[in-house]
Amino acid sequence: MKFTKLAAAVTLALAVSAANAATETKTFNVKINITATCAANVFSGATVDDVDFGSVASNAANPVLTASNGNTNTLTVQCTNGSVFNVGLKPASATAGASTGAGSMVNGANTIAYQLKKPTFAAGAYTAGTAASANWGDQAGSTELGVTGQGLTTPIKLPVAAVIQANTLNVPAGAYTEQVLATLTY
């Protein structure tokens, strides 16, 4: 009986205490800040095929020629999903400062002018540019290629195309080359 009275007294005390209890709340956030990045090793460490026009006869009447480095070993980037980054191209023969992508392949004192062209984006992929495509250089805000990242596990392949204007191949036979510097800015 003492136990029953004691239990009843404790229950009554708890009920009174609960009725008089105050409640306070506090909120806080769980946060993270994601910064845009690109997998630089994918860009700088990858092999990129040359833009190769192949063998063409020296001829004053040649048409406009376009060549690209295909869709396999292209410039490849992997950047944060939704982040905007830029890829610029600068031929070695470009004058100091920003380039419009115009270059000159050289063989001794002889040159063949060419123009780098931006790829076009359709159906979720980039395809090599054409003579009608925009010039691809390294001028921020104008001739660089702006691309939106698809995530660090999703490679974006950027084929490079070059155009040689008609009637510019009446030059001495030989191998004409020039190196192009590609720069990824993110």
Side-chain angles (χ1 to χ4, degrees), residues 82-111:
S83 68
V84 177
F85 59 92
N86 292 302
V87 178
L89 299 181
K90 186 171 189 171
S93 63
T95 56
S99 162
T100 61
S104 292
M105 295 176 280
V106 177
N107 179 345
N110 302 298
T111 62

Side-chain angles (χ1 to χ4, degrees), residues 77-180:
V77 292
Q78 289 174 239
C79 293
T80 302
N81 192 2
S83 68
V84 177
F85 59 92
N86 292 302
V87 178
L89 299 181
K90 186 171 189 171
S93 63
T95 56
S99 162
T100 61
S104 292
M105 295 176 280
V106 177
N107 179 345
N110 302 298
T111 62
I112 298 173
Y114 67 92
Q115 177 64 57
L116 297 170
K117 295 292 187 171
K118 290 181 181 177
T120 56
F121 186 76
Y126 284 91
T127 56
T130 65
S133 298
N135 295 343
W136 192 357
D138 69 351
Q139 293 176 333
S142 63
T143 63
E144 285 182 321
L145 178 65
V147 181
T148 301
Q150 299 298 311
L152 293 174
T153 58
T154 305
I156 300 171
K157 294 184 175 288
L158 304 172
V160 179
V163 174
I164 298 173
Q165 291 304 315
N167 306 323
T168 60
L169 297 178
N170 191 16
V171 294
Y176 290 74
T177 62
E178 179 172 48
Q179 193 169 60
V180 174

Side-chain angles (χ1 to χ4, degrees), residues 1 4 10 12 15 17-18 27 33 47-48 55 65 79 83 89 95 97-98 120 131-133 164 182:
M1 181 129 139
T4 306
V10 169
L12 180 62
S17 175
T27 62
N33 183 31
T47 300
V48 177
S55 295
L65 299 176
C79 293
S83 68
L89 299 181
T95 56
T120 56
S133 298
I164 298 173

